[in-house]
């Protein structure tokens, strides 16, 4: 019951700050940008002045699988940054402005508070990401060739596991720090460090969270879900759960101390 | 010279399907950013400058405003 109240309040707040409009639009933009510009590359070159006479460049045919992976690549750079930016103040901002105290003097459990905030942001990210990827799917089917429903939803859901982790990590830093900018910086640094670790150890440990998108590429080219993808997803979800438990603990001790 | 003019008109027709959705997204983003800017009591930085950024920086302007410019009330 309390969970629902805080959850609804959070959704309402995101609506009032126009997040429910601009985040889906921006995700559509990120997702369709690369497939579109790849398809229209010859015309774009022509329009910006064309090539000198006699110059020939062969633009290789792009497979539909590669085209839709371009959307995921954009999502994992710009998309993730936007996800962190909209989540960075979710708890930190309220603690800074004192709203969190107002809520927590009432008999609201810390877990309820964190979970409600976390799920509200996750819903926003899910819907925006779904809208963006559907737009990309539409264009890829139109311009490059067919991606089946099953292929689409498996790549969509497996990649969403990574986004769940990003949201959870941001919420985790939210419970540690009061300044949204610091939350942003810490989350970005952590993700970058994890990506370095992944590059170093991906040969030995092929199931680190950052490797999910590589495995999705393998899945699309081979047509079956590799075991590493299941493992990486399970580990990513497990890590998210642990982070949530830690967030609750840290948040409680921090709030008690004040 | 004539080739060039013909080419650019054809280009325009060819570009329309890609440009149309992008223009629509940019328009909606710009309009809601401006509405939000007008309604906001306080922003990080002067309002007129944000208005210029939103209108003239395609895509990036509205996004920047939503992430950095809005101040939580």
């Amino acid at each position: 019951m309390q969970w629902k109240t805080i959850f609804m309040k959070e959704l309402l707040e995101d609506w009032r700050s126009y997040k429910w409009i601009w985040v889906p639009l921006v995700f559509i933009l990120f997702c369709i940008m690369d497939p579109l510009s790849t398809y229209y590359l010859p015309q774009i070159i022509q329009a910006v002045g064309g090539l000198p006479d006699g110059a020939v460049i062969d633009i290789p045919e792009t497979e539909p699988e590669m085209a839709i992976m371009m959307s995921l690549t954009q999502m994992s750079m710009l998309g993730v940054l936007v996800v962190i930016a909209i989540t960075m103040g979710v708890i930190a901002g309220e603690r800074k402005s004192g709203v969190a105290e107002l809520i927590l003097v009432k008999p609201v459990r810390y877990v309820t508070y964190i979970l409600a905030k976390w799920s509200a942001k996750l819903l926003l990210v899910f819907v925006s990401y779904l809208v963006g990827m559907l737009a990309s799917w539409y264009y890829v089917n139109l311009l490059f060739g067919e991606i089946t429903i099953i292929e689409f939803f498996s790549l969509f859901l497996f990649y969403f596991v990574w986004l769940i982790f990003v949201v959870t990590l941001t919420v985790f830093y939210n419970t540690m720090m009061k300044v949204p900018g610091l939350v942003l910086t810490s989350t970005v640094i952590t993700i970058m460090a994890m990506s370095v670790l992944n590059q170093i150890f991906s040969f030995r440990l092929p199931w680190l969270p950052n490797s999910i998108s590589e495995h999705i590429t393998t899945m699309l080219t081979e047509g079956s879900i590799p075991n590493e993808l299941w493992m990486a997803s399970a580990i990513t979800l497990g890590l998210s759960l642990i982070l949530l438990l830690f967030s609750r603990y840290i948040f409680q001790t921090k709030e008690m101390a004040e | 010279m004539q080739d060039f003019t013909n080419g650019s008109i054809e280009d325009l027709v060819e570009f329309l399907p890609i440009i149309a959705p992008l223009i629509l997204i940019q328009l909606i983003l710009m309009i809601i950013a401006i509405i939000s800017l007008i309604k906001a009591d306080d922003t990080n930085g002067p309002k007129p400058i944000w208005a210029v950024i939103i209108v003239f920086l395609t895509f990036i302007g509205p996004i920047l405003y939503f992430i950095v410019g809005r101040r939580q009330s």
Side-chain angles (χ1 to χ4, degrees), chain A residues 35 64 67-68 71 135-147:
Chain A
I68 203 151
S71 308
S136 159
W137 189 29
Y138 170 75
Y139 277 107
V140 169
N141 273 333
L142 207 67
L143 304 175
F144 295 94
E146 206 194 355
I147 296 276

Side-chain angles (χ1 to χ4, degrees), chain A residues 16-18 21-22 25-26 28-29 32 36 40 43-44 46-47 85 88-89 93 139, chain B residues 11 14-15 17-18 21-22 25 28-29 32 35-36 39 59 63 66-67 70 72-73:
Chain A
R16 285 200 182 130
S17 58
Y18 304 95
I21 306 172
W22 74 263
L25 283 175
V26 167
I28 293 178
L29 187 69
I32 67 176
L36 279 182
Y40 286 98
Q43 283 93 325
I44 293 172
Q46 201 75 53
M88 66 182 179
Y139 277 107
Chain B
D11 282 344
E14 268 176 305
F15 269 115
I18 22 169
L22 296 180
I25 293 177
I28 304 175
L29 278 180
I32 53 166
I35 293 176
S36 157
K39 279 188 178 172
F59 303 127
I63 302 176
F66 280 121
I67 292 177
R70 283 182 54 89
Q72 277 197 331
S73 49

Side-chain angles (χ1 to χ4, degrees), chain B residues 18-38:
Chain B
I18 22 169
I19 293 183
L22 296 180
I23 290 181
L24 194 68
I25 293 177
Q26 158 66 9
L27 272 182
I28 304 175
L29 278 180
M30 195 176 84
I31 291 169
I32 53 166
I34 289 292
I35 293 176
S36 157
L37 182 69
I38 293 170

Side-chain angles (χ1 to χ4, degrees), chain A residues 151-164:
Chain A
E151 277 179 317
F152 175 76
F153 277 101
S154 32
L155 94 100
F156 175 80
L157 290 175
F158 275 117
Y159 193 76
F160 186 62
V161 172
W162 169 245
L163 291 182
I164 294 178

Side-chain angles (χ1 to χ4, degrees), chain A:
Chain A
M1 213 41 223
Q2 282 178 335
W3 175 83
K4 204 182 158 201
T5 315
I6 304 177
F7 181 74
M8 295 309 277
K9 170 193 157 285
E10 194 64 24
L11 290 189
L12 185 68
E13 217 157 78
D14 283 347
W15 172 249
R16 285 200 182 130
S17 58
Y18 304 95
K19 285 199 184 77
W20 279 98
I21 306 172
W22 74 263
V23 182
L25 283 175
V26 167
F27 278 19
I28 293 178
L29 187 69
F30 290 163
C31 289
I32 67 176
M33 208 161 49
D34 272 12
L36 279 182
S37 54
T38 309
Y39 184 78
Y40 286 98
L41 194 61
Q43 283 93 325
I44 293 172
I45 293 176
Q46 201 75 53
V48 294
L51 291 166
D53 284 341
V56 180
I57 48 162
D58 258 331
I59 297 166
E61 282 275 308
T62 311
E63 302 283 321
E65 288 83 10
M66 287 304 111
I68 203 151
M69 280 310 289
M70 286 174 186
S71 308
L72 279 197
T73 313
Q74 283 300 333
M75 278 303 297
S76 56
M77 299 195 294
L78 299 170
V80 163
L81 209 58
V82 168
V83 169
I84 300 171
I86 59 174
T87 321
M88 66 182 179
V90 64
I91 294 173
E94 285 204 341
R95 284 167 76 197
K96 209 174 160 192
S97 62
V99 179
E101 272 89 31
L102 283 180
I103 294 172
L104 290 166
V105 286
K106 302 198 173 73
V108 175
R109 293 174 65 201
Y110 293 103
V111 187
T112 318
Y113 180 74
I114 295 175
L115 276 184
K117 294 261 170 189
W118 175 78
S119 40
K121 277 292 176 293
L122 211 53
L123 183 67
L124 173 63
V125 170
F126 180 81
V127 172
S128 312
Y129 167 59
L130 179 65
V131 172
M133 285 309 285
L134 282 177
S136 159
W137 189 29
Y138 170 75
Y139 277 107
V140 169
N141 273 333
L142 207 67
L143 304 175
F144 295 94
E146 206 194 355
I147 296 276
T148 61
I149 290 193
I150 297 171
E151 277 179 317
F152 175 76
F153 277 101
S154 32
L155 94 100
F156 175 80
L157 290 175
F158 275 117
Y159 193 76
F160 186 62
V161 172
W162 169 245
L163 291 182
I164 294 178
F165 177 78
V166 174
V167 172
T168 317
L169 186 68
T170 322
V171 168
F172 170 73
Y173 279 121
N174 257 290
T175 58
M176 283 170 78
M177 300 156 187
K178 275 190 182 179
V179 187
L182 265 181
V183 174
L184 177 87
T185 325
S186 318
T187 316
V188 170
I189 290 176
T190 311
I191 289 178
M192 278 161 54
M194 285 174 61
S195 140
V196 170
L197 276 181
N198 178 51
Q199 272 164 15
I200 298 174
F201 295 110
S202 62
F203 186 64
R204 285 280 178 86
L205 310 170
W207 26 256
L208 292 174
N210 295 61
S211 64
I212 285 183
S213 57
E214 284 164 43
H215 296 319
I216 291 177
T217 317
T218 322
M219 176 186 81
L220 286 180
T221 45
E222 286 180 359
S224 62
I225 301 172
N227 274 334
E228 287 89 358
L229 186 52
W230 287 113
M231 275 296 278
S233 310
I235 285 177
T236 311
L237 285 177
L239 271 179
S240 309
L241 190 67
I242 294 171
L243 278 178
L244 270 182
L245 291 175
F246 266 113
S247 318
R248 182 205 167 267
Y249 177 75
I250 293 170
F251 192 51
Q252 188 173 24
T253 35
K254 284 246 170 177
E255 284 296 318
M256 292 287 195
E258 274 158 23

